[in-house]
């Protein structure tokens, strides 16, 4: 059984993969202080609740928070008796290496997105990933990650607005009933929702113009379905794209070892 771990700045996703399908997926807040013993206790309790039995024999990790990786490695060594694959490390090979400026190391989540998108949809795609940051990942015809765009994340922007303007409350992200708000909350929701619709639509158009070929857009991340209701931004929504990409990378490393 394969354990996929996608560690982001806000949350860490654990997903179990066996016989070509995900058995279950869980989230936990990302904290570099969390020990291997805490991870194991939390994970095995959830597995028991879902009635999932069997040994974890493989682990692959994608982490944008380097300090977390050490304890995850200890988890694998102590409890699963395996050495994890860590995306972005030299010993974790990619199906197609990225083509970016020399010396640049793309984020492991972006590499996983590229692998997952190419496996499911082929090349010439843009992945829009709504996380702590809003990432646009460009995947070439052959499946290589060739660059992209990083914009501030939706919740990060809301938090900055709340902290920087004393009179403005913190609000939830949702689609407002109309564009012109008639109260403070409505005004903020409209600005965030329609502002990000405009941001995503504008950046996608500029990427396609510069790329010079027809490109499909894939939305992923927790807020992708919400923003898909505003305009026809995406050709498809993939909730598990990053995690799926990890299974693709792990399979490639097994097949070529």
């Amino acid at each position: 059984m394969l354990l996929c771990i996608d560690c982001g700045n806000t949350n860490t996703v654990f997903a179990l993969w066996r016989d070509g399908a995900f058995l279950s997926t869980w989230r936990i807040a990302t904290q570099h202080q969390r020990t291997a013993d805490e991870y194991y206790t939390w994970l095995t309790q959830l597995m028991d609740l879902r009635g999932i039995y069997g040994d974890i024999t493989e682990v692959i990790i994608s982490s944008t928070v380097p300090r977390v990786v050490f304890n995850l490695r200890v988890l694998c060594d102590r409890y699963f008796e395996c050495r994890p694959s860590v995306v972005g490390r030299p010993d974790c090979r990619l199906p197609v290496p990225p083509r970016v400026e020399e010396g640049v190391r793309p984020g492991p989540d972006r590499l996983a997105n590229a692998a997952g998108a190419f496996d499911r949809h082929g090349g010439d795609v843009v992945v829009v990933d709504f996380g702590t940051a809003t990432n646009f990942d460009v995947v070439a015809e052959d499946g290589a990650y060739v660059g992209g765009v990083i914009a501030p994340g939706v919740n990060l922007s809301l938090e900055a607005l709340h902290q920087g303007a004393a009179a403005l409350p913190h609000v939830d992200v949702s689609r407002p009933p109309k564009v012109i708000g008639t109260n403070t909350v409505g005004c903020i929701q409209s600005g965030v929702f329609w502002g990000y619709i405009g941001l995503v639509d504008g950046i996608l158009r500029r990427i396609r113009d510069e790329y010079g070929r027809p490109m499909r857009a894939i939305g992923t991340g927790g807020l992708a379905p919400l923003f898909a209701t505003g305009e026809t931004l995406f050709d498809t929504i993939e909730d598990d794209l990053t995690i799926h990409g990890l299974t693709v990378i792990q399979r490639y490393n097994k097949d070529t070892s």
Side-chain angles (χ1 to χ4, degrees):
M1 186 160 51
L2 170 65
L3 173 62
C4 300
I5 305 175
D6 174 29
C7 178
N9 290 292
T10 304
N11 293 313
T12 299
V13 177
F14 287 69
L16 290 173
W17 172 270
R18 184 170 62 192
D19 298 330
F22 287 111
L23 302 180
S24 195
T25 301
W26 302 286
R27 291 178 179 270
I28 192 171
T30 299
Q31 295 179 0
H32 70 268
Q33 303 96 330
R34 187 170 281 116
T35 66
D37 301 330
E38 290 175 306
Y39 281 122
Y40 181 74
T41 301
W42 171 80
L43 181 61
T44 52
Q45 286 179 339
L46 290 172
M47 290 173 64
D48 287 342
L49 287 172
R50 288 295 305 272
I52 298 173
Y53 304 104
D55 293 333
I56 293 172
T57 57
E58 306 170 65
V59 181
I60 183 167
I61 301 169
S62 164
S63 178
T64 59
V65 186
R67 295 178 68 185
V68 174
V69 175
F70 175 78
N71 282 328
L72 291 175
R73 282 181 175 272
V74 174
L75 168 71
C76 298
D77 179 65
R78 181 178 298 169
Y79 291 107
F80 307 139
E81 298 181 354
C82 70
R83 180 176 180 176
S85 302
V86 181
V87 179
R89 299 289 175 88
D91 58 346
C92 183
R93 297 178 298 276
L94 299 171
V96 184
R99 291 195 294 273
V100 292
E101 292 183 15
E102 186 176 354
V104 171
R105 297 178 62 183
D109 54 334
R110 312 188 83 170
L111 298 174
N113 282 344
F118 184 72
D119 184 68
R120 285 181 170 171
H121 304 282
D124 293 336
V125 299
V126 184
V127 178
V128 184
D129 190 348
F130 292 88
T132 304
T134 301
N135 291 335
F136 297 72
D137 305 323
V138 179
V139 184
E141 182 182 15
D142 63 348
Y145 169 81
V146 293
V149 175
I150 301 175
V154 179
N155 287 311
L156 192 65
S157 297
L158 270 173
E159 189 63 30
L161 183 64
H162 172 61
Q163 292 182 359
L168 297 181
H170 182 80
V171 302
D172 293 329
V173 183
S174 63
R175 178 174 179 169
K178 53 186 179 179
V179 176
I180 302 174
T182 54
N183 55 60
T184 303
V185 171
C187 290
I188 295 173
Q189 288 177 332
S190 183
V192 170
F193 182 82
W194 292 112
Y196 270 86
I197 291 290
L199 180 146
V200 173
D201 182 54
I203 291 179
L204 284 175
R205 281 191 283 106
R206 290 178 182 273
I207 287 175
R208 287 175 171 130
D209 288 345
E210 186 171 286
Y211 192 73
R213 296 168 61 110
M215 304 183 77
R216 287 164 293 168
I218 303 169
T220 192
L223 291 174
L226 171 65
F227 286 100
T229 66
E231 298 284 344
T232 308
L233 296 174
F234 308 118
D235 294 283
T236 186
I237 300 291
E238 300 270 0
D239 291 336
D240 62 347
L241 187 68
T242 310
I243 289 291
H244 176 71
L246 293 181
T247 70
V248 173
I249 295 171
Q250 181 68 7
R251 183 176 68 237
Y252 176 78
N253 277 266
K254 287 184 65 177
D255 291 345
T256 57
S257 62

